[in-house]
Amino acid sequence: MSENQASLTAGGNSVDMPIKSGTIGPDVIDIRKLYGQTGMFTYDPGFTSTASCDSAITYIDGDEGVLLHRGYPIGQLAEHSSFMEVSYLLLNGELPSQQELADFTRTITRHTMLHEQLATFYRGFRRDAHPMAVMCGVVGALSAFYHDSTDIADPVHRKISSHRLIAKMPTIAAMAYKYSVGQPFIYPDNKLSYTGNFLKMTFGVPAEEYEVIPAVEKAMDRIFILHADHEQNASTSTVRLAGSSGANPFACIAAGIACLWGPAHGGANEAALNMLKEIGTPDRIQHYIDRAKDKNDPFRLMGFGHRVYKNYDPRATVMQQTVREVFDALKVNDPLFETALRLEEIALSDPYFAEKKLFPNVDFYSGIILSAIGFPTTMFTVLFALARTVGWVAQWNEMISDPGQKIGRPRQLYTGPTARDYVPLSDR
Ligand code: SDX
């Protein structure tokens, strides 16, 4: 990386700090020596101007609406690739040969089965438990079942646990859905694709042959691609921070799932569809636009806005096209799609959204597709977590295999009381 200098004058001291450049994107000012040289910290709650790491996995240009995975544009991957191929790319850095893809897919396929004891674990939950609560618990519990792949210093262990996590998430997700609807768990079918197997485990029943609809399988696989990774978002940063302490990969991914659940992050797909259902018909849109603009109203348009994208989220573009494909394949329509299209049109013509550069994000249209395929809204974030697991695992591996990585330990601006003596209870 090329180096030049930034200088900072603080408290009468002038400090020179190196500027580092990546291959593309903003340069960074290396402030690691700042505290030692000035006794001061930088201050950046929400990390709006902070790069937390080096990474070669995903690049986002928020102003241009660009998303690259190992250099490949998301639009090209969504059109030409598969989730298994994108998973290989994220993990290994290059597109696989035919043989490499076949070997990788076979390895993942043969890890899809869960330890049978985990089925009992599900039965400890209430049937109406939110599937994200179930997924958090079950993934965290995996470390209790797969002790033979938790030595994070061993690249072989890291590879096995990575494959196990990617492979078992569809089974865990499908079982969470089956448990919630009181239907029997369906075991993995190794004859099917990764995504076809997931659809069968979710919607198949023992009494009937389940036929995977190719157009739905393709749409679902594309949705997984669109959710696979996204730079240092909140849940990926959570996984990295948990991993920096040396926690086992199953615990780190469970932490990422917990973070993703929030409505400001991965929970927005569930919130966006619930919002569209609450709006109902296009004539009610303006009322909700007005609420979203009202500083005194906490309501926000769910599925709109993004910390990085100040242009159209390229994933939302593909998602909107996929709605039409799924509707055609299933010969269904959903009036909420028209409401969503109209909401987007009205919002994007409103100066408030234009000035704040608020565009639809990946979560705005995904719920309409998932609902048409048959998923309840409570499963939407589970599907996001299923797909994002490969990104979390790739980012975790990148961090753990960096010999220079340290435990993440931010500091603070302290605003509490100065030192004071304890007052005995009798004197209070
Ligand atoms: C994901 O980081 C990632 O990459 C995440 C993700 C991934 O793949 O991992 O892309 C997935 O999480 C997508 C985002 C899903 N979340 C939502 O759709 C929830 C609704 N959107 C927001 O709450 C919000 O836009 C965030 C959380 C996504 C981004 O928030 P920021 O960057 O912290 O921006 P902000 O909250 O400071 O908002 C800036 C301004 C504010 O107004 P002012 O205080 O400047 O007057 O824009 C307003 C906000 O009030 N604003 C919105 C809005 N989003 C921001 N106003 C109305 N509706 C919205 N959706």
Side-chain angles (χ1 to χ4, degrees):
M1 287 183 190
S2 68
E3 295 250 1
N4 43 48
Q5 299 289 323
S7 64
L8 174 76
T9 303
N13 296 323
S14 180
V15 182
D16 289 337
M17 292 166 286
I19 291 178
K20 298 161 74 85
S21 299
T23 41
I24 42 177
D27 289 346
V28 297
I29 301 172
D30 185 342
I31 60 164
R32 284 175 287 186
K33 292 192 166 52
L34 181 72
Y35 178 59
Q37 293 177 354
T38 66
M40 291 188 190
F41 301 133
T42 58
Y43 183 70
D44 187 13
F47 309 121
T48 53
S49 302
T50 293
S52 62
C53 62
D54 300 12
S55 180
I57 298 173
T58 290
Y59 174 72
I60 302 171
D61 180 331
D63 294 330
E64 298 303 317
V66 169
L67 169 56
L68 307 177
H69 288 318
R70 302 286 191 176
Y72 296 98
I74 190 64
Q76 293 182 27
L77 293 173
E79 186 178 350
H80 303 300
S81 189
S82 67
F83 183 66
M84 279 292 95
E85 185 173 77
V86 170
S87 295
Y88 182 98
L89 172 66
L90 290 170
L91 288 170
N92 299 291
E94 297 297 335
L95 288 170
S97 66
Q98 288 184 28
Q99 189 56 53
E100 287 166 335
L101 180 58
D103 294 344
F104 177 73
T105 304
R106 187 179 314 109
T107 299
I108 296 298
T109 299
R110 295 178 64 81
H111 276 295
T112 50
M113 199 156 64
L114 267 192
H115 190 293
E116 191 64 11
Q117 193 66 25
L118 272 164
T120 313
F121 191 94
Y122 277 78
R123 293 192 170 85
F125 290 99
R126 288 171 40 148
R127 289 281 180 178
D128 62 354
H130 194 292
M132 280 298 282
V134 175
M135 180 174 258
C136 271
V138 172
V139 172
L142 290 179
S143 54
F145 289 83
Y146 299 106
H147 277 302
D148 63 339
S149 65
T150 53
D151 176 2
I152 61 163
D154 182 341
V156 174
H157 278 217
R158 292 205 300 270
K159 191 168 189 176
I160 293 172
S161 54
S162 300
H163 290 164
R164 277 176 164 154
L165 280 159
I166 295 164
K168 296 181 192 305
M169 285 301 271
T171 313
I172 290 167
M175 288 170 71
Y177 170 69
K178 283 305 198 191
Y179 188 70
S180 72
V181 295
Q183 290 184 359
F185 297 140
I186 300 293
Y187 287 111
D189 179 345
N190 289 358
K191 296 190 300 302
L192 297 174
S193 72
Y194 181 88
T195 303
N197 176 45
F198 168 65
L199 289 169
K200 178 178 178 185
M201 292 191 292
T202 305
F203 296 118
V205 289
E208 293 170 6
E209 269 305 301
Y210 178 81
E211 283 300 311
V212 177
I213 301 172
V216 172
E217 181 183 21
K218 184 170 184 301
M220 196 73 239
D221 198 73
R222 187 186 303 154
I223 288 172
F224 288 161
I225 292 173
L226 295 176
H227 288 85
D229 190 50
H230 211 242
E231 203 213 64
Q232 304 312 317
N233 58 84
S235 53
T236 299
S237 300
T238 300
V239 171
R240 280 180 172 260
L241 197 55
S244 73
S245 77
N248 74 71
F250 305 106
C252 295
I253 299 306
I257 295 169
C259 176
L260 185 75
W261 196 358
H265 190 12
N269 53 17
E270 177 177 355
L273 193 75
N274 289 337
M275 174 191 72
L276 289 170
K277 286 178 179 173
E278 184 183 334
I279 294 173
T281 50
D283 59 295
R284 289 163 45 86
I285 288 172
Q286 192 55 52
H287 169 66
Y288 285 85
I289 296 270
D290 295 341
R291 283 191 59 194
K293 293 160 60 178
D294 179 354
K295 296 302 294 171
N296 301 316
D297 188 331
F299 173 79
R300 288 190 165 186
L301 286 188
M302 301 315 282
F304 255 75
H306 198 278
R307 170 61 61 77
V308 177
Y309 289 124
K310 301 309 172 190
N311 198 322
Y312 213 97
D313 183 335
R315 301 169 297 176
T317 307
V318 180
M319 208 63 91
Q320 193 195 98
Q321 293 156 3
T322 305
V323 174
R324 293 184 168 86
E325 287 177 27
V326 169
F327 281 8
D328 290 350
L330 296 177
K331 298 195 180 14
V332 298
N333 191 6
D334 182 346
L336 288 182
F337 182 44
E338 291 313 313
T339 301
L341 290 170
R342 189 82 184 94
L343 171 57
E344 174 186 334
E345 186 187 333
I346 296 171
L348 296 189
S349 62
D350 186 306
Y352 173 92
F353 293 88
E355 283 153 21
K356 294 180 188 299
K357 298 184 178 177
L358 302 174
F359 292 85
N361 59 51
V362 68
D363 294 309
F364 188 60
Y365 289 105
S366 57
I368 293 170
I369 304 171
L370 299 174
S371 185
I373 293 174
F375 294 102
T377 50
T378 50
M379 280 292 290
F380 291 178
T381 311
V382 167
L383 300 175
F384 195 149
L386 186 168
R388 185 53 59 87
T389 293
V390 65
W392 290 330
V393 160
Q395 300 267 355
W396 173 78
N397 272 294
E398 182 178 63
M399 178 191 72
I400 293 291
S401 44
D402 172 3
Q405 72 96 12
K406 302 161 77 74
I407 189 168
R409 195 345 184 148
R411 301 301 301 274
Q412 64 181 9
L413 176 67
Y414 177 69
T415 59
T418 55
R420 51 184 172 167
D421 294 326
Y422 179 78
V423 178
L425 186 58
S426 58
D427 294 345
R428 276 179 266 154

